[in-house]
Amino acid sequence: MGAHQEGKREAGDDAHGVDIDSLARQLREELAAANSSAVQVQLTGGCPIIIAEVGSLTRNVDAAEYDPHHVAIGPYHRLRNPDLARNDEKIRCLNAVLSAASNAAAATTLEVYLDEIANLEIRARSCYAHSFSLESREFVRMLLLDGCYLLVRFGDVVRRANGAAAGKGGATTVLAPAAGGGGGDMLEAVAVVRDVFYLAENQIPFFVIDKIHQLTRSDTTVSAVDAIAGYVRELLRRQQYSVATPALSEPTVPGNLLHLLHMNLVPTVHPPRTSDDNKVSRKRRVGRWKTATEYHLAGVKFKSRPVGGGAGNGGARSILDVRLDAGGGTLEIPRLNIDGETWRLLRNLMALEQRNPEITKSHVTAYCVFVSQLACTASDVEFLARRGVVSHGLGNHGEVAALFSDLCKGVVFCADDPEQNYLRGVCQALESGVRCHRRRWMVWLRRTYFSNPWLVLGLAAAVLGLVCTMVQAVYSVLSYRQGGR
C-alpha cells in the first residue's frame, strides 16, 4: 500500500513537474518567519500608520505630485532614485546630532544610536506596505541618517540640546517654515518642506525620529512631537489652511510627518443632525454635489469664512470647516488659497487616508470631493473667486477648474457613508432647500423681475395702476348704491 502511494507521488511529480516536498518546506519557512515577525511587531507596539506606494490609478493623473525632487526619506524613493539620498548632507546632520549629544549631561555614542535603531528595525519595516531588498545594515543606517536629518532641519534638536547643556533651558523659538533650519536658499527650503511633509511615500515612522530625539536630549521637557508640531502649525497658519491645535498625546501620536500635518486638518464644525436623525434620510442617497453656479441659480448664497480670527467673528479652524447658516440658504466656506503646492498637499493627504481610513478617517477626501465638484468649470471658479471662497495666482480660471476636476480621480469614496463623509448632512440640508418649491419660485421671481431696475419700476407701476383701478371700482359701486337710495 505504501509503495503504491509512493509510486503515485513520483508519478504525480513527473506529471506536473513540481517538487511538492521542497515547495512545502519553503512555504513552512516563510510561514514561520511571518509568524515570528508578527509576534515581535505585536510586542513592540505595532505601527499606527502604514506607509504605502500611491495606487497607479491615482498616480497616473500626475505622478510628479507624489515624487520628491530634492531629498528622499525612507526606502521607496531611496531605491528608485539614489541621487536623492543626500548622504553627504545627512552625514553632516548625524555629526551635528552626535556633537549635541556629547554636550548633553548623558553623552550618547554612535554605537548606542545604532543599537537602539536596530531594535526598532522589525517594527519599522512593518510600517511599510511593501518589503525591500535593503539588508538590515543598510536599513538601520537609512533610518538613523533620515531621522537625524529631519530633527536637525525641523526639530531644532541641536540648538535645543546645546541650550540645555549651557543651562539656558529647553525652550527656544520654533524655526520659521521658510528657513528650514539647515540654511540654504528659499527654493531649497521650499523643496525640502514639500518633500518631507507633503509626500505620502517619502516618510519614515515617527517613533524612529522620537527615539533619536530622546537619545540626543538630556531632558524630556520638549518631545520630538512638540518640537516638530510647532513647525507644522506655523506652516499651516502661514498658508491659512489651519489654526487648530490638536492633542498630540497617546493614543493620537503621529505615525509620520504627513500624518502629523493631517492631524491639524480635522473639521471642527458639527453638520446638521436632521439628516441622520430619521430613517428616511438615512436611505436617501446623497449623490454628487452641484456646481457653484447651479447652487447660485437655485438661490444658494456663498460666503467666505476666514481661517482664524475667533469663532465670534465667524472664523474657521481649518479649510475643512464648511457649514450652512441657520436658515440653510448660505453656504459658508473657508477661503482656499491656491498655490503651486496646494494640489500636491491635498492629493497626498488623500493617499494617506486611502491607506489608513480607520485611523485618519476621510475628512480631507470628503472636502476634496466637495470642492472638486463645486468648482469644476471656469465659470464656477470665477464665481467663487468673486465671492472670496477661492484665491489663486495661476494662469486662468479654466486651468484651476481643470486641476479641481482631476483632484479626486482614482479615489475611492462613499458619499453616503456618514463615517467617511462629514459633509453628508450639509449636502442633504442643501439639497432639501434647493428642492423647495417656494424657494425656487422666489428665486425665479427675483431673477426674472427684480434683477433689472426698469422691470422693477414697471412692475411697481403696474401694481399701482391695478390698485388705483380697484379703488376706483369700489368708489363707483358705492356711489351707485348711494344714488339708488
Side-chain angles (χ1 to χ4, degrees), residues 278-329:
N278 57 79
K279 295 181 180 180
V280 176
S281 59
R282 290 197 198 104
K283 295 179 180 179
R284 187 194 308 160
R285 296 184 60 83
V286 172
R288 77 180 307 280
W289 293 88
K290 290 181 171 59
T291 65
T293 51
E294 288 175 332
Y295 281 126
H296 175 61
L297 293 174
V300 178
K301 298 179 181 179
F302 286 81
K303 180 181 178 182
S304 175
R305 294 187 68 193
V307 176
N313 298 326
R317 303 299 295 168
S318 76
I319 57 174
L320 274 62
D321 284 346
V322 179
R323 71 182 184 186
L324 275 175
D325 69 342

Short mmCIF file of all heavy atoms in Angstrom, two decimals, residues 278-329:
data_model
loop_
_atom_site.label_atom_id
_atom_site.label_comp_id
_atom_site.label_asym_id
_atom_site.label_seq_id
_atom_site.Cartn_x
_atom_site.Cartn_y
_atom_site.Cartn_z
N ASN A 278 -33.32 60.48 11.26
CA ASN A 278 -34.52 59.74 10.88
C ASN A 278 -34.17 58.71 9.82
O ASN A 278 -33.18 58.85 9.09
CB ASN A 278 -35.61 60.67 10.37
CG ASN A 278 -35.13 61.50 9.19
OD1 ASN A 278 -35.09 61.00 8.08
ND2 ASN A 278 -34.76 62.75 9.42
N LYS A 279 -34.97 57.68 9.75
CA LYS A 279 -34.67 56.56 8.86
C LYS A 279 -34.79 56.94 7.40
O LYS A 279 -34.08 56.42 6.55
CB LYS A 279 -35.60 55.39 9.19
CG LYS A 279 -35.40 54.82 10.58
CD LYS A 279 -36.33 53.66 10.83
CE LYS A 279 -36.13 53.08 12.22
NZ LYS A 279 -37.04 51.94 12.49
N VAL A 280 -35.71 57.86 7.08
CA VAL A 280 -35.90 58.25 5.69
C VAL A 280 -34.65 58.89 5.12
O VAL A 280 -34.19 58.57 4.03
CB VAL A 280 -37.10 59.20 5.56
CG1 VAL A 280 -37.24 59.69 4.13
CG2 VAL A 280 -38.37 58.51 6.01
N SER A 281 -34.05 59.79 5.90
CA SER A 281 -32.87 60.49 5.40
C SER A 281 -31.67 59.57 5.30
O SER A 281 -30.78 59.77 4.50
CB SER A 281 -32.53 61.68 6.31
OG SER A 281 -32.29 61.22 7.63
N ARG A 282 -31.61 58.52 6.16
CA ARG A 282 -30.51 57.58 6.06
C ARG A 282 -30.56 56.82 4.74
O ARG A 282 -29.55 56.47 4.17
CB ARG A 282 -30.56 56.59 7.22
CG ARG A 282 -30.21 57.19 8.57
CD ARG A 282 -29.87 56.10 9.56
NE ARG A 282 -29.96 56.59 10.92
CZ ARG A 282 -30.94 56.33 11.74
NH1 ARG A 282 -31.97 55.59 11.34
NH2 ARG A 282 -30.96 56.80 12.98
N LYS A 283 -31.77 56.55 4.25
CA LYS A 283 -31.91 55.82 3.00
C LYS A 283 -31.72 56.72 1.79
O LYS A 283 -31.47 56.23 0.69
CB LYS A 283 -33.29 55.15 2.95
CG LYS A 283 -33.50 54.08 4.02
CD LYS A 283 -34.89 53.49 3.92
CE LYS A 283 -35.11 52.42 4.99
NZ LYS A 283 -36.47 51.84 4.91
N ARG A 284 -31.88 58.03 1.96
CA ARG A 284 -31.76 58.95 0.83
C ARG A 284 -30.31 59.07 0.40
O ARG A 284 -29.43 59.37 1.19
CB ARG A 284 -32.29 60.33 1.22
CG ARG A 284 -32.37 61.31 0.06
CD ARG A 284 -32.56 62.72 0.55
NE ARG A 284 -33.68 62.82 1.48
CZ ARG A 284 -33.81 63.84 2.32
NH1 ARG A 284 -32.92 64.79 2.37
NH2 ARG A 284 -34.85 63.87 3.13
N ARG A 285 -30.05 58.83 -0.86
CA ARG A 285 -28.69 58.90 -1.38
C ARG A 285 -28.29 60.35 -1.59
O ARG A 285 -29.08 61.19 -2.00
CB ARG A 285 -28.58 58.12 -2.70
CG ARG A 285 -28.85 56.63 -2.56
CD ARG A 285 -28.63 55.92 -3.88
NE ARG A 285 -27.26 56.08 -4.36
CZ ARG A 285 -26.25 55.33 -3.97
NH1 ARG A 285 -26.46 54.36 -3.09
NH2 ARG A 285 -25.05 55.51 -4.45
N VAL A 286 -27.02 60.60 -1.32
CA VAL A 286 -26.51 61.96 -1.43
C VAL A 286 -26.21 62.30 -2.88
O VAL A 286 -26.55 63.37 -3.38
CB VAL A 286 -25.24 62.14 -0.57
CG1 VAL A 286 -24.60 63.49 -0.84
CG2 VAL A 286 -25.60 62.02 0.91
N GLY A 287 -25.56 61.38 -3.59
CA GLY A 287 -25.17 61.68 -4.97
C GLY A 287 -24.00 62.63 -5.03
O GLY A 287 -23.21 62.73 -4.10
N ARG A 288 -23.90 63.38 -6.10
CA ARG A 288 -22.79 64.32 -6.25
C ARG A 288 -23.25 65.72 -5.89
O ARG A 288 -24.44 66.04 -5.89
CB ARG A 288 -22.25 64.30 -7.69
CG ARG A 288 -23.13 65.05 -8.69
CD ARG A 288 -22.58 65.01 -10.09
NE ARG A 288 -21.21 65.43 -10.17
CZ ARG A 288 -20.82 66.71 -10.19
NH1 ARG A 288 -21.70 67.68 -10.09
NH2 ARG A 288 -19.54 67.00 -10.31
N TRP A 289 -22.27 66.57 -5.55
CA TRP A 289 -22.56 67.97 -5.30
C TRP A 289 -22.86 68.68 -6.62
O TRP A 289 -22.33 68.32 -7.66
CB TRP A 289 -21.35 68.65 -4.65
CG TRP A 289 -21.03 68.19 -3.27
CD1 TRP A 289 -20.22 67.15 -2.93
CD2 TRP A 289 -21.47 68.77 -2.04
NE1 TRP A 289 -20.14 67.03 -1.57
CE2 TRP A 289 -20.90 68.02 -0.99
CE3 TRP A 289 -22.30 69.84 -1.72
CZ2 TRP A 289 -21.13 68.31 0.34
CZ3 TRP A 289 -22.53 70.15 -0.39
CH2 TRP A 289 -21.95 69.38 0.64
N LYS A 290 -23.69 69.69 -6.56
CA LYS A 290 -23.90 70.54 -7.73
C LYS A 290 -22.72 71.50 -7.86
O LYS A 290 -21.91 71.65 -6.94
CB LYS A 290 -25.21 71.32 -7.59
CG LYS A 290 -26.47 70.48 -7.71
CD LYS A 290 -27.70 71.35 -7.58
CE LYS A 290 -28.97 70.56 -7.91
NZ LYS A 290 -29.15 69.39 -7.04
N THR A 291 -22.62 72.15 -9.00
CA THR A 291 -21.58 73.14 -9.17
C THR A 291 -21.98 74.44 -8.47
O THR A 291 -23.15 74.64 -8.12
CB THR A 291 -21.33 73.43 -10.66
OG1 THR A 291 -22.51 74.04 -11.22
CG2 THR A 291 -21.03 72.15 -11.42
N ALA A 292 -21.02 75.33 -8.30
CA ALA A 292 -21.29 76.58 -7.61
C ALA A 292 -22.34 77.41 -8.34
O ALA A 292 -23.23 78.00 -7.72
CB ALA A 292 -19.99 77.37 -7.45
N THR A 293 -22.24 77.45 -9.68
CA THR A 293 -23.21 78.24 -10.44
C THR A 293 -24.60 77.62 -10.37
O THR A 293 -25.60 78.35 -10.36
CB THR A 293 -22.76 78.36 -11.91
OG1 THR A 293 -22.48 77.05 -12.43
CG2 THR A 293 -21.51 79.21 -12.03
N GLU A 294 -24.70 76.30 -10.32
CA GLU A 294 -26.01 75.65 -10.19
C GLU A 294 -26.65 75.98 -8.85
O GLU A 294 -27.84 76.28 -8.78
CB GLU A 294 -25.86 74.14 -10.35
CG GLU A 294 -25.58 73.69 -11.77
CD GLU A 294 -25.32 72.20 -11.87
OE1 GLU A 294 -24.85 71.60 -10.87
OE2 GLU A 294 -25.58 71.63 -12.93
N TYR A 295 -25.86 75.94 -7.79
CA TYR A 295 -26.39 76.33 -6.48
C TYR A 295 -26.80 77.80 -6.48
O TYR A 295 -27.83 78.18 -5.91
CB TYR A 295 -25.35 76.08 -5.38
CG TYR A 295 -25.25 74.64 -4.95
CD1 TYR A 295 -24.03 73.97 -4.97
CD2 TYR A 295 -26.37 73.95 -4.51
CE1 TYR A 295 -23.93 72.65 -4.56
CE2 TYR A 295 -26.28 72.62 -4.09
CZ TYR A 295 -25.07 71.98 -4.12
OH TYR A 295 -24.97 70.67 -3.73
N HIS A 296 -25.98 78.63 -7.11
CA HIS A 296 -26.28 80.06 -7.15
C HIS A 296 -27.60 80.32 -7.88
O HIS A 296 -28.43 81.12 -7.42
CB HIS A 296 -25.13 80.80 -7.85
CG HIS A 296 -25.38 82.26 -8.06
ND1 HIS A 296 -25.59 83.14 -7.03
CD2 HIS A 296 -25.47 83.00 -9.21
CE1 HIS A 296 -25.80 84.35 -7.50
NE2 HIS A 296 -25.73 84.30 -8.82
N LEU A 297 -27.81 79.64 -9.01
CA LEU A 297 -29.05 79.80 -9.75
C LEU A 297 -30.26 79.26 -8.98
O LEU A 297 -31.39 79.67 -9.23
CB LEU A 297 -28.95 79.10 -11.11
CG LEU A 297 -27.96 79.71 -12.10
CD1 LEU A 297 -27.84 78.85 -13.34
CD2 LEU A 297 -28.38 81.13 -12.47
N ALA A 298 -29.98 78.34 -8.05
CA ALA A 298 -31.06 77.79 -7.23
C ALA A 298 -31.31 78.63 -5.98
O ALA A 298 -32.14 78.25 -5.14
CB ALA A 298 -30.74 76.36 -6.83
N GLY A 299 -30.59 79.75 -5.85
CA GLY A 299 -30.85 80.65 -4.73
C GLY A 299 -29.92 80.50 -3.54
O GLY A 299 -30.11 81.16 -2.53
N VAL A 300 -28.91 79.64 -3.63
CA VAL A 300 -27.95 79.47 -2.54
C VAL A 300 -26.91 80.59 -2.60
O VAL A 300 -26.34 80.86 -3.65
CB VAL A 300 -27.26 78.10 -2.61
CG1 VAL A 300 -26.23 77.96 -1.50
CG2 VAL A 300 -28.29 76.98 -2.53
N LYS A 301 -26.67 81.20 -1.46
CA LYS A 301 -25.65 82.25 -1.38
C LYS A 301 -24.33 81.64 -0.89
O LYS A 301 -24.32 80.65 -0.17
CB LYS A 301 -26.10 83.36 -0.42
CG LYS A 301 -27.36 84.07 -0.86
CD LYS A 301 -27.76 85.14 0.16
CE LYS A 301 -29.04 85.85 -0.26
NZ LYS A 301 -29.45 86.87 0.73
N PHE A 302 -23.23 82.26 -1.30
CA PHE A 302 -21.90 81.79 -0.90
C PHE A 302 -21.21 82.89 -0.10
O PHE A 302 -21.23 84.06 -0.48
CB PHE A 302 -21.06 81.43 -2.13
CG PHE A 302 -21.47 80.15 -2.78
CD1 PHE A 302 -22.56 80.12 -3.65
CD2 PHE A 302 -20.79 78.98 -2.53
CE1 PHE A 302 -22.95 78.93 -4.25
CE2 PHE A 302 -21.18 77.79 -3.13
CZ PHE A 302 -22.25 77.76 -3.99
N LYS A 303 -20.61 82.47 1.01
CA LYS A 303 -19.91 83.40 1.88
C LYS A 303 -18.56 82.83 2.26
O LYS A 303 -18.46 81.65 2.62
CB LYS A 303 -20.75 83.69 3.13
CG LYS A 303 -20.10 84.65 4.11
CD LYS A 303 -20.97 84.85 5.33
CE LYS A 303 -20.32 85.77 6.34
NZ LYS A 303 -21.17 85.94 7.56
N SER A 304 -17.53 83.64 2.20
CA SER A 304 -16.19 83.20 2.57
C SER A 304 -15.99 83.32 4.07
O SER A 304 -16.31 84.34 4.68
CB SER A 304 -15.14 84.05 1.84
OG SER A 304 -13.84 83.71 2.28
N ARG A 305 -15.47 82.24 4.68
CA ARG A 305 -15.14 82.26 6.10
C ARG A 305 -13.64 82.40 6.27
O ARG A 305 -12.86 81.65 5.68
CB ARG A 305 -15.56 80.96 6.79
CG ARG A 305 -17.05 80.71 6.86
CD ARG A 305 -17.31 79.47 7.71
NE ARG A 305 -16.99 79.70 9.12
CZ ARG A 305 -16.88 78.74 10.02
NH1 ARG A 305 -17.02 77.46 9.65
NH2 ARG A 305 -16.60 79.02 11.28
N PRO A 306 -13.18 83.36 7.06
CA PRO A 306 -11.73 83.46 7.29
C PRO A 306 -11.25 82.32 8.18
O PRO A 306 -11.96 81.88 9.09
CB PRO A 306 -11.59 84.81 7.99
CG PRO A 306 -12.91 85.02 8.67
CD PRO A 306 -13.94 84.40 7.76
N VAL A 307 -10.06 81.82 7.92
CA VAL A 307 -9.45 80.80 8.77
C VAL A 307 -8.73 81.52 9.90
O VAL A 307 -7.76 82.24 9.69
CB VAL A 307 -8.47 79.92 7.98
CG1 VAL A 307 -7.77 78.93 8.92
CG2 VAL A 307 -9.19 79.18 6.88
N GLY A 308 -9.23 81.34 11.13
CA GLY A 308 -8.72 82.09 12.27
C GLY A 308 -9.61 83.26 12.58
O GLY A 308 -10.69 83.43 12.01
N GLY A 309 -9.17 84.10 13.48
CA GLY A 309 -9.94 85.29 13.81
C GLY A 309 -10.97 85.08 14.90
O GLY A 309 -11.65 86.02 15.29
N GLY A 310 -11.11 83.87 15.40
CA GLY A 310 -12.03 83.62 16.50
C GLY A 310 -13.41 83.21 16.03
O GLY A 310 -13.88 83.65 14.99
N ALA A 311 -14.05 82.35 16.81
CA ALA A 311 -15.38 81.85 16.44
C ALA A 311 -16.41 82.97 16.44
O ALA A 311 -17.38 82.95 15.69
CB ALA A 311 -15.80 80.73 17.39
N GLY A 312 -16.22 84.01 17.31
CA GLY A 312 -17.17 85.10 17.35
C GLY A 312 -17.22 85.92 16.08
O GLY A 312 -18.22 86.55 15.78
N ASN A 313 -16.12 85.91 15.33
CA ASN A 313 -16.07 86.64 14.06
C ASN A 313 -16.39 85.74 12.86
O ASN A 313 -16.13 86.12 11.72
CB ASN A 313 -14.68 87.25 13.88
CG ASN A 313 -14.34 88.25 14.97
OD1 ASN A 313 -15.22 88.95 15.45
ND2 ASN A 313 -13.08 88.31 15.35
N GLY A 314 -16.92 84.57 13.12
CA GLY A 314 -17.25 83.65 12.04
C GLY A 314 -16.06 82.92 11.48
O GLY A 314 -16.13 82.35 10.40
N GLY A 315 -14.94 82.93 12.21
CA GLY A 315 -13.72 82.31 11.71
C GLY A 315 -13.78 80.79 11.78
O GLY A 315 -14.43 80.21 12.65
N ALA A 316 -13.06 80.15 10.87
CA ALA A 316 -12.97 78.69 10.83
C ALA A 316 -11.64 78.26 11.43
O ALA A 316 -10.67 79.01 11.45
CB ALA A 316 -13.08 78.20 9.39
N ARG A 317 -11.60 77.03 11.92
CA ARG A 317 -10.35 76.49 12.47
C ARG A 317 -9.48 75.91 11.39
O ARG A 317 -8.27 75.83 11.52
CB ARG A 317 -10.65 75.43 13.53
CG ARG A 317 -11.53 75.90 14.67
CD ARG A 317 -10.87 77.04 15.42
NE ARG A 317 -9.64 76.63 16.10
CZ ARG A 317 -8.77 77.47 16.63
NH1 ARG A 317 -8.97 78.77 16.53
NH2 ARG A 317 -7.69 77.02 17.24
N SER A 318 -10.09 75.45 10.28
CA SER A 318 -9.33 74.93 9.16
C SER A 318 -10.18 75.06 7.89
O SER A 318 -11.36 75.41 7.96
CB SER A 318 -8.94 73.46 9.39
OG SER A 318 -10.05 72.59 9.18
N ILE A 319 -9.58 74.78 6.75
CA ILE A 319 -10.29 74.89 5.49
C ILE A 319 -11.41 73.86 5.38
O ILE A 319 -12.28 73.97 4.50
CB ILE A 319 -9.34 74.73 4.29
CG1 ILE A 319 -8.59 73.40 4.37
CG2 ILE A 319 -8.38 75.90 4.19
CD1 ILE A 319 -7.73 73.11 3.15
N LEU A 320 -11.45 72.88 6.28
CA LEU A 320 -12.49 71.86 6.23
C LEU A 320 -13.79 72.29 6.90
O LEU A 320 -14.80 71.60 6.79
CB LEU A 320 -11.99 70.57 6.89
CG LEU A 320 -11.19 69.58 6.02
CD1 LEU A 320 -9.90 70.21 5.51
CD2 LEU A 320 -10.88 68.31 6.80
N ASP A 321 -13.79 73.44 7.56
CA ASP A 321 -14.97 73.87 8.32
C ASP A 321 -16.02 74.50 7.43
O ASP A 321 -16.33 75.69 7.54
CB ASP A 321 -14.55 74.83 9.43
CG ASP A 321 -13.90 74.12 10.60
OD1 ASP A 321 -14.01 72.89 10.66
OD2 ASP A 321 -13.27 74.79 11.44
N VAL A 322 -16.61 73.71 6.57
CA VAL A 322 -17.71 74.14 5.70
C VAL A 322 -19.02 74.00 6.47
O VAL A 322 -19.24 73.00 7.15
CB VAL A 322 -17.76 73.29 4.42
CG1 VAL A 322 -18.91 73.72 3.52
CG2 VAL A 322 -16.43 73.37 3.68
N ARG A 323 -19.89 75.00 6.35
CA ARG A 323 -21.16 74.92 7.09
C ARG A 323 -22.24 75.70 6.36
O ARG A 323 -21.98 76.56 5.53
CB ARG A 323 -20.98 75.47 8.50
CG ARG A 323 -20.80 76.98 8.57
CD ARG A 323 -20.59 77.47 9.98
NE ARG A 323 -20.51 78.92 10.05
CZ ARG A 323 -20.22 79.62 11.14
NH1 ARG A 323 -19.99 78.97 12.28
NH2 ARG A 323 -20.18 80.94 11.12
N LEU A 324 -23.50 75.36 6.70
CA LEU A 324 -24.67 76.13 6.27
C LEU A 324 -25.10 77.05 7.39
O LEU A 324 -24.98 76.69 8.57
CB LEU A 324 -25.83 75.19 5.92
CG LEU A 324 -25.88 74.59 4.52
CD1 LEU A 324 -27.03 73.60 4.44
CD2 LEU A 324 -26.01 75.65 3.46
N ASP A 325 -25.60 78.22 7.03
CA ASP A 325 -26.10 79.11 8.07
C ASP A 325 -27.39 78.55 8.65
O ASP A 325 -27.92 77.53 8.20
CB ASP A 325 -26.30 80.53 7.52
CG ASP A 325 -27.45 80.61 6.52
OD1 ASP A 325 -27.86 79.54 6.00
OD2 ASP A 325 -27.93 81.71 6.26
N ALA A 326 -27.90 79.22 9.68
CA ALA A 326 -29.10 78.72 10.37
C ALA A 326 -30.30 78.61 9.45
O ALA A 326 -31.12 77.70 9.59
CB ALA A 326 -29.42 79.63 11.56
N GLY A 327 -30.42 79.51 8.48
CA GLY A 327 -31.56 79.47 7.57
C GLY A 327 -31.41 78.46 6.45
O GLY A 327 -32.37 78.17 5.74
N GLY A 328 -30.22 77.93 6.26
CA GLY A 328 -29.99 76.93 5.23
C GLY A 328 -29.86 77.49 3.84
O GLY A 328 -29.85 76.72 2.87
N GLY A 329 -29.73 78.82 3.72
CA GLY A 329 -29.64 79.41 2.38
C GLY A 329 -28.28 79.95 2.02
O GLY A 329 -28.07 80.38 0.88
#
